[in-house]
Amino acid sequence: MTRQHSPVVEFAGVSKSYGSVRALADLTVRLHPGETVALLGPNGAGKSTTLDLLLGLRSPDPGGMVRLFGTSPRKAVTESRVGAMLQSGGLMEGVKVRELVGLACDLHPRAHPVEKVLADAGITAIADRMVCKLSGGQEQRVRFALAVAGESDLIVLDEPTTGMDVSARGHFWKAMREQAAQGRTVLFATHYLEEADAVADRVLVLHRGRLLADGTAADIKNRAGARRISFALRSGPASGPANGTANSTVNGTGNGLGNGSGSGTGDRSNGYKAAAETEVRAHEPALRALPGVTEFEVAGGTVRMRSADADATVHALYGLGLYPRDLEVTHLGLEQAFLAITKDAEEQHEQQHERQDAGRGPGGDGGEVAAPRKDHDDTEVAAV
């Protein structure tokens, strides 16, 4: 197999335990050249442990294997094939930004010019500032500069945009896209799910140390199954005041109301909203009972629901003889999909433990630890 087609990262049956607490359970995954991969999961899911294993900072439990470029993580890091930007670890103080970046470039066997690194990280303007005088967001950009000081084939980022403002985040991800376009693999852990949705071409979701989902952002959304449905309600086709006089009044065009000044607009508009909400409430039991509906809410006469079968829901809605206006059916966003699939996984986990507890009965040995704890680097680890 040629190098171009070999995996950049390979986890094969990798588990990691801290005492009786299992932080990672049988993780098997491969990353390939040029991929931008987001690593998602709630606190305690195993993200930090995964990155530590990948970088050779920890060793997997016996039976598991972690390989980078076909060799050990430590060897790949030593050969400068990996650039990393981690949350932990401070920056060298008592030096200027340019000096610190220059040191990183001097140490890299395939270094970029210092000025290019500064520009790519968006820190040219603060290059002569002392590191100890930087803001949190500026420190993050300096950490990024250190991670891309040379031609590394894999870039690993842990919560990279924490503390950055909107402009800095945009610049950062532009630079990351350029890295991926050059064939480098980018792996980043983040709590900003909108970034994963916009940037990653692959998403990994961890939950209690297990790989829960692996696919594109669209795949993850589709896996959640549900769709969002929203509409305003009217029991018959739009006509009369709601479509004629009322519209001209709301637009302030007159009909003699409020002396043509639009002064009656607010009261009339509020009246329509109140009437619409009253109508929704009158039909609420039937709406909640529509097939596929899993969540339901009403706000200002607008119905918002989540459905596991949007087609059946909308078909049955019209079957009630109702007239939904401004009907919208959309996929869940990545954040909503993430919450949905992790919630399902958590419920299944709790049910499994309930069955185990019932099977052990009084006097059981207690089995695995169910409560999360902090490991020695303050990363929350949840037991499985």
Side-chain angles (χ1 to χ4, degrees), residues 48-365:
S48 294
T49 297
T50 299
L51 296 185
D52 286 349
L53 291 168
L54 185 150
L55 294 172
L57 300 176
R58 304 185 190 219
S59 299
D61 293 344
M65 181 186 71
V66 181
R67 307 288 282 177
L68 271 60
F69 308 102
T71 187
S72 70
R74 288 183 181 273
K75 188 172 187 296
V77 170
T78 301
E79 293 175 348
S80 299
R81 300 195 68 179
V82 184
M85 174 182 174
L86 303 180
Q87 291 189 82
S88 59
L91 296 172
M92 184 186 299
E93 298 185 358
V95 297
K96 294 180 180 180
V97 170
R98 186 189 304 277
E99 293 170 335
L100 182 57
V101 173
L103 175 62
C105 293
D106 289 340
L107 294 174
H108 201 291
R110 299 181 301 280
H112 296 302
V114 174
E115 295 304 321
K116 170 178 168 54
V117 176
L118 293 171
D120 287 347
I123 55 175
T124 301
I126 60 171
D128 294 320
R129 188 173 302 179
M130 299 298 292
V131 171
C132 60
K133 300 295 184 182
L134 300 178
S135 68
Q138 290 169 339
E139 287 183 350
Q140 284 292 88
R141 283 184 278 164
V142 171
R143 288 189 176 96
F144 169 57
L146 301 182
V148 297
E151 293 185 4
S152 300
D153 300 306
L154 170 64
I155 301 174
V156 181
L157 311 165
D158 190 8
E159 302 290 347
T161 58
T162 299
M164 293 186 188
D165 59 28
V166 174
S167 176
R169 287 168 64 183
H171 184 97
F172 174 86
W173 288 118
K174 179 177 181 292
M176 279 297 89
R177 290 188 183 97
E178 292 172 354
Q179 294 287 335
Q182 295 171 27
R184 298 184 178 91
T185 302
V186 178
L187 173 65
F188 67 98
T190 183
H191 281 99
Y192 294 117
L193 272 69
E194 70 275 13
E195 291 184 345
D197 199 359
V199 176
D201 44 44
R202 184 176 172 194
V203 177
L204 307 177
V205 179
L206 290 177
H207 179 265
R208 290 187 175 270
R210 297 185 182 277
L211 183 61
L212 189 60
D214 178 1
T216 65
D219 292 336
I220 305 302
K221 296 173 191 177
N222 289 333
R223 173 169 172 169
R227 294 190 181 186
R228 291 176 293 188
I229 302 173
S230 66
F231 56 88
L233 191 61
R234 185 176 297 128
S235 58
S239 61
N243 198 38
T245 306
N247 280 344
S248 62
T249 303
V250 170
N251 293 331
T253 56
N255 278 344
L257 295 176
N259 295 323
S261 64
S263 61
T265 299
D267 290 342
R268 184 64 62 86
S269 178
N270 290 336
Y272 291 142
K273 289 181 180 179
E277 185 160 359
T278 298
E279 182 165 3
V280 170
R281 295 299 182 190
H283 295 285
E284 183 171 347
L287 292 172
R288 286 184 177 274
L290 290 171
V293 173
T294 58
E295 294 183 16
F296 182 94
E297 67 175 354
V298 179
T302 298
V303 178
R304 295 184 180 88
M305 58 177 66
R306 185 174 295 177
S307 173
D309 188 342
D311 293 337
T313 300
V314 173
H315 179 76
L317 172 62
Y318 281 103
L320 293 175
L322 301 176
Y323 180 73
R325 294 183 296 114
D326 303 323
L327 177 66
E328 292 185 356
V329 180
T330 59
H331 284 289
L332 298 182
L334 183 60
E335 180 173 358
Q336 290 77 23
F338 168 79
L339 292 173
I341 63 176
T342 53
K343 178 182 177 182
D344 289 344
E346 187 64 24
E347 290 175 350
Q348 292 174 11
H349 172 80
E350 292 176 356
Q351 291 170 2
Q352 179 182 3
H353 271 270
E354 288 174 359
R355 289 193 297 269
Q356 291 174 346
D357 290 342
R360 282 194 295 265
D365 61 6

